[in-house]
Amino acid sequence: MKVLVPVKRVIDYNIRPRVKADQTGVDLANVKMAMNPFDEISIEEAVRMKEKGVATEIVIVSIGPAQAQETIRIGLAMGGDRGILVQTDAAVEPLAVAKILKAIVEAEQPGLVIAGKQAIDDDSNATGQMLAALLDWPQATFASAVSKDGDTLKVTREVDGGLQTLALQTPAVVTTDLRLNEPRFASLPNIMKAKKKPIDVKTPADYGVDVAPRLSVVKVTEPKKREAGEKVADVDALIAKLKSVGAI
Ligand code: AMP
């Protein structure tokens, strides 16, 4: 089974984002970028499937600027086989990403697409679901365990207050949650080997997809600054204080 893994280049999760002075978005100038953390989990899962003989080939796709090649290379160093970069400098919204992925799925015919549950920059949590809808494929979101038996995938999902297990027929779309696995680090020899793995470079126009935005951002603001705390002398003072503010 061929597995397609879409990966997004986003602001590194260790970096505290700064909002631009004109409040139109987050300042990305000279900011460290990295692979969306959920996408690392997707690659890890695909590589484990390959190690078990369930997956035969792992194709890593990114839609983004030329530098997204570096993100694909990390995925190739983790165990991906080849990459597809759909190059654009536009900020591509989930619907356009899903349309491009649909066209790639039609050309590549994978048995499974494993995407992240959300990209940590726009927090849309939409692309996997839109792709499944466009393809009319079954989907299982927020996966915390995945196994395959014949044409059936068993996916455990983290839902409020418990776990839900679904059985779906492949081909299917799965989106990954944080506890699915712990992604491996790409070793230096594998980073060197990944340099030789092929990456096809395409454009959205090659897939006939118009990436013009359909949403407009009205305003982006910093979270409210936390107010300073107050130290109280003892438990009685704490209880009196909590009562006075109506917290208990
Ligand atoms: P989102 O719906 O934007 O929260 O993103 C969910 C998932 O869709 C991500 O974890 C990726 O797997 C995939 N995805 C979103 N945007 C892109 C992109 N520009 N290129 C490749 N994959 C993407």
Side-chain angles (χ1 to χ4, degrees):
M1 178 176 70
K2 192 193 279 191
V3 180
L4 196 86
V5 187
V7 302
K8 188 175 187 187
R9 179 177 182 265
V10 296
I11 188 164
D12 187 292
Y13 75 97
N14 292 302
I15 305 275
R16 194 174 168 276
R18 276 171 321 197
V19 171
K20 285 191 210 162
D22 63 3
Q23 298 191 326
T24 54
V26 167
D27 193 357
L28 295 180
N30 302 317
V31 171
K32 184 165 181 258
M33 305 292 279
M35 187 187 297
N36 183 42
F38 292 104
D39 304 347
E40 288 183 352
I41 295 172
S42 307
I43 292 182
E44 176 65 35
E45 199 60 23
V47 174
R48 290 185 190 188
M49 286 179 138
K50 197 171 169 198
E51 287 167 348
K52 282 190 206 136
V54 173
T56 47
E57 190 186 22
I58 301 168
V59 183
I60 299 177
V61 180
S62 193
I63 298 143
Q67 298 91 317
Q69 278 224 23
E70 295 158 21
T71 315
I72 295 176
R73 290 263 174 233
I74 303 280
L76 297 177
M78 286 173 70
D81 293 294
R82 63 188 167 89
I84 302 173
L85 170 68
V86 183
Q87 196 173 326
T88 170
D89 288 325
V92 186
E93 291 171 0
L95 182 59
V97 172
K99 286 179 179 171
I100 293 170
L101 292 176
K102 176 180 187 251
I104 295 175
V105 164
E106 281 164 355
E108 294 281 345
Q109 303 278 317
L112 176 64
V113 178
I114 313 185
K117 76 166 178 183
Q118 78 193 61
I120 61 162
D121 52 358
D122 58 20
D123 278 341
S124 294
N125 179 359
T127 306
Q129 294 90 326
M130 286 177 166
L131 176 64
L134 291 174
L135 289 167
D136 201 15
W137 280 11
Q139 63 170 322
T141 52
F142 313 150
S144 62
V146 179
S147 61
K148 188 165 182 281
D149 184 10
D151 280 347
T152 309
L153 273 185
K154 228 166 88 185
V155 179
T156 306
R157 308 179 60 232
E158 295 193 353
V159 292
D160 276 351
L163 298 174
Q164 180 192 51
T165 303
L166 297 178
L168 31 161
Q169 286 298 111
T170 55
V173 176
V174 169
T175 72
T176 55
D177 212 334
L178 209 56
R179 278 164 290 275
L180 178 59
N181 60 45
E182 261 196 42
R184 68 196 66 195
F185 286 107
S187 66
L188 192 59
N190 285 343
I191 291 174
M192 301 311 288
K193 268 190 234 155
K195 290 188 189 206
K196 293 205 187 88
K197 294 186 179 175
I199 299 181
D200 256 2
V201 181
K202 302 278 192 185
T203 67
D206 291 335
Y207 299 105
V209 176
D210 174 10
V211 296
R214 288 161 178 250
L215 306 171
S216 62
V217 176
V218 178
K219 191 160 95 172
V220 176
T221 54
E222 295 270 357
K224 248 175 123 183
K225 291 239 174 336
R226 270 183 72 177
E227 285 173 24
E230 192 183 318
K231 266 196 178 163
V232 289
D234 52 28
V235 173
D236 288 342
L238 174 65
I239 290 172
K241 184 83 197 170
L242 290 173
K243 277 190 178 151
S244 76
V245 295
I248 54 172

